[in-house]
Amino acid sequence: MNQIDHLGIAVRSLAEARKFYEKLGLEVMPEETVEAEKVRLAMVPIGESRLELLEPTSPDSPIGKFLAKRGEGLHHVALHISDLAGTVERLKSSGTRLVSDEIKIGAGGHLYIFVHPSSAGGVLLELVEDAPVGV
Ligand code: ZN
């Protein structure tokens, strides 16, 4: 199903962000660390979508650099795509700039890749697909 999977929000402190979203009456899920991206994150389910709160574990991470340059705020929009491999092939063959060459495996085994803002109207776009069945 194609839908907005989540909105990624860069925060300086997950603990502070958690307090804020809990004040809104929302449930903040337990934190997890993604070593490859040098980030700790916590998901906030909202309807069929989620907010993804992102705190850097290192200043030289993508989120650390974003915070230094732009401060806290909306970092990326993630679209859930049903045929990620086919979509990436179409993007590559039409010259779309991707942040990485390959689709990566994220937390929970889901697949993801980022489209560079220069190819997506100034928005850092994450494309995600569920983990393949049986993996
Ligand atoms: Zn994300």
Side-chain angles (χ1 to χ4, degrees):
M1 181 172 48
N2 296 329
Q3 62 176 47
I4 293 182
D5 188 85
H6 63 267
L7 302 176
I9 298 174
V11 302
R12 294 193 194 284
S13 162
L14 270 185
E16 290 300 315
R18 171 183 295 275
K19 278 186 219 161
F20 172 74
Y21 285 99
E22 287 176 345
K23 265 186 252 173
L24 299 180
L26 299 169
E27 184 188 4
V28 181
M29 304 308 283
E31 292 170 17
E32 46 189 313
T33 300
V34 182
E35 299 290 351
E37 306 283 353
K38 295 182 190 167
V39 76
R40 289 198 307 146
L41 64 87
M43 288 291 187
V44 186
I46 300 189
E48 299 198 335
S49 188
R50 301 172 289 173
L51 301 180
E52 179 184 62
L53 306 175
L54 300 157
E55 178 195 283
T57 59
S58 162
D60 69 353
S61 62
I63 296 296
K65 288 177 190 163
F66 178 88
L67 283 173
K69 195 171 160 192
R70 314 258 298 262
E72 292 185 308
L74 184 63
H75 179 258
H76 65 271
V77 173
L79 305 183
H80 190 278
I81 298 286
S82 45
D83 175 20
L84 185 57
T87 302
V88 167
E89 278 316 305
R90 278 199 303 282
L91 292 174
K92 282 184 175 175
S93 65
S94 64
T96 301
R97 188 172 167 200
L98 302 171
V99 173
S100 63
D101 273 343
E102 302 295 331
I103 295 170
K104 296 183 183 180
I105 301 173
H110 76 276
L111 306 174
Y112 72 98
I113 193 164
F114 283 95
V115 180
H116 195 276
S118 64
S119 283
V123 176
L124 178 59
L125 205 59
E126 180 181 4
L127 305 178
V128 304
E129 184 181 43
D130 293 334
V133 176
V135 173

